[in-house]
Amino acid sequence: MDVGAERDKWIELQRRRLMAQPLAGYAVGESPSAEPVAMAALACIAQGWREPAEAACRRLLEAQQADGAVSVLLNTDGPYWTTSLACIAWRRFDIAWPERARPWCTDAYRLGVDFLLSIRGEKIDPSENVGHNTQLVGWPWVVSTHSWIEPTSLALLALRHCGFAEHERAVEAAELIVDRFLPEGGANYGNTIVLGQVLRPHVLPSAMSLVALHRISPLPVHLSSTLRYLRTELANQPLATASLSWAIQAIVSAEWELPVEQWSNFEEAMQTAIVRLSVSTADPHRCNVLLLASSRRDSPLLDLAPFQLLRQSEHQP
C-alpha cells in the first residue's frame, strides 16, 4: 500500500466534505460547537482552503458576545474556555487572507483577548496534600474556579498568536504549565501529587502543554521526559484522535530545530487513524483534528515566534 497516496486521497475527501459543510459539532448530527468549528477553521487554514475556513470563522464571530467571549455551545451560557480557540482561528485567518479578514477578524480576536485577560483562575490555599503551586494564576475551565492545565495552555497559545506573548499573564501561564509537569514528565489535568500520591500522566494535557510552550527558552525541566512519554504512548497504542493530533504537533514542536532527516515519521499512526475513522461513521470533528495534525510543521498552531520565559528559575541545561 502506498501510504502517502492513501493519505492524499483521504485529504482530498476531507476537502470536499469541508467545502460542502465546514461547521460541525462534537458528534455526527450534533449542532455546531465552538471547539469543532475552530478546529475546522484551523485545519482548512493549514491546507489553504479559504472558503470553508472563512465560513467557520464567521460562525464563531456570530457567536461572540459583547464582552468578547465565545461559549462552548455557541450560545450565552458558557463555559467560555473556547474563546482561546476562536481567537487563534481568527488570528490565523487574518494572517492567511488579510484582504478577506479585515477588520472583522482583527476586531474579533482583539476583543476575545480582552475577555481572556479579564478571566483568572482562583488561587487556593497551599496544602501539604497538593503538590502544585496553588498561587500561580492561569485559566479555569469554568469562571471562578481553580486554574487547570488545558484551558491555560489554550489561553497561552491565544495570547502568543495574538501578539501578547510578553504580557505578564502569558509569562505566568507558562510558569504554571511548567509547575504542573509531573516529576517523571508528562502532565494530567493539572494536579501533580495528591495526598502523597503522584498522579499519572495523560496524553492530551501533556501534548497541549508542549504545544503551548513551543520554541520556549530556557527549556523547562521535564520537557524531555514529557516528550519521551508522548513518543512511547504514540508507539505503543492507538490513541484517541484528539490525543493523536495534539501528540503529533507536540513532537513536531519539540523537533523544530532538527534537520529534516531526524524528523519523526507519523505515517503509520496517521494511516491507522484514517482507517479507524473510515470504518466507522465519519465523525467530522475527529476528521478535522486529524487533518490538522496531517499538516505537521505547517500547522497554524505552531507558527509562533520564540518565547523567552524570563522568570523561570529552573531549566534544563
Side-chain angles (χ1 to χ4, degrees):
M1 177 189 295
D2 186 337
V3 175
E6 289 295 314
R7 183 198 64 233
D8 292 344
K9 180 180 177 182
W10 179 80
I11 290 174
E12 174 57 21
L13 288 174
Q14 304 318 306
R15 186 190 68 80
R16 295 177 185 176
R17 173 182 61 80
L18 282 157
M19 288 292 184
Q21 177 53 275
L23 308 181
Y26 281 105
V28 176
E30 286 191 358
S31 299
S33 298
E35 182 183 13
V37 172
M39 295 303 279
L42 290 169
C44 291
I45 291 165
Q47 298 293 333
W49 304 336
R50 182 188 61 78
E51 291 183 11
E54 182 170 357
C57 285
R58 286 191 179 276
R59 180 63 186 91
L60 294 171
L61 180 68
E62 291 173 6
Q64 189 175 36
Q65 299 174 31
D67 62 359
V70 177
S71 70
V72 170
L73 297 179
L74 298 175
N75 56 25
T76 60
D77 297 332
Y80 304 110
W81 60 267
T82 40
T83 304
S84 299
L85 286 169
C87 287
I88 297 169
W90 290 321
R91 177 56 178 152
R92 299 316 308 176
F93 187 82
D94 180 42
I95 290 171
W97 296 286
E99 71 285 355
R100 297 289 302 182
R102 295 174 185 169
W104 60 276
C105 266
T106 307
D107 293 342
Y109 78 72
R110 287 176 176 169
L111 186 60
V113 167
D114 287 343
F115 174 79
L116 289 175
L117 292 176
S118 74
I119 297 299
R120 304 172 63 86
E122 296 292 320
K123 297 179 182 180
I124 59 177
D125 293 336
S127 169
E128 62 181 13
N129 295 321
V130 177
H132 67 269
N133 183 346
T134 61
Q135 300 302 294
L136 289 171
V137 173
W139 278 264
W141 287 115
V142 178
V143 175
S144 299
T145 60
H146 194 47
S147 304
W148 298 110
I149 204 163
E150 290 167 74
T152 297
S153 295
L154 293 174
L156 175 57
L157 277 171
L159 294 182
R160 294 184 65 192
H161 277 286
C162 295
F164 289 79
E166 297 182 0
H167 194 282
E168 61 182 9
R169 293 292 308 279
V171 174
E172 188 169 9
E175 291 180 331
L176 183 148
I177 292 168
V178 170
D179 177 72
R180 303 293 182 93
F181 282 132
L182 295 166
E184 299 301 320
N188 60 21
Y189 54 89
N191 274 323
T192 55
I193 301 171
V194 177
L195 298 175
Q197 298 296 312
V198 178
L199 302 187
R200 297 180 60 183
H202 297 285
V203 171
L204 188 58
S206 299
M208 279 189 175
S209 299
L210 292 194
V211 173
L213 299 178
H214 179 45
R215 305 187 74 188
I216 191 174
S217 62
L219 294 177
V221 173
H222 305 314
L223 187 145
S224 294
S225 53
T226 299
L227 179 61
R228 285 195 298 271
Y229 161 71
L230 289 174
R231 285 188 171 130
T232 299
E233 291 297 299
L234 191 62
N236 287 348
Q237 60 182 338
L239 298 176
T241 309
S243 295
L244 173 64
S245 175
W246 282 95
I248 287 174
Q249 291 174 95
I251 294 169
V252 169
S253 168
E255 297 176 345
W256 201 254
E257 305 299 335
L258 294 181
V260 63
E261 61 271 13
Q262 296 183 34
W263 294 353
S264 295
N265 187 338
F266 301 112
E267 292 290 356
E268 183 177 351
M270 287 288 301
Q271 186 61 25
T272 298
I274 288 170
V275 170
R276 190 168 66 239
L277 287 173
S278 299
V279 299
S280 61
T281 302
D283 184 309
H285 177 51
R286 289 194 291 165
C287 288
N288 291 339
V289 296
L290 187 62
L291 181 63
L292 180 60
S294 75
S295 61
R296 303 185 191 186
R297 289 175 70 88
D298 291 327
S299 167
L301 287 176
L302 299 177
D303 186 12
L304 289 166
F307 182 47
Q308 186 75 26
L309 184 51
L310 297 176
R311 297 203 314 237
Q312 175 62 29
S313 58
E314 286 189 285
H315 58 276
Q316 186 170 284

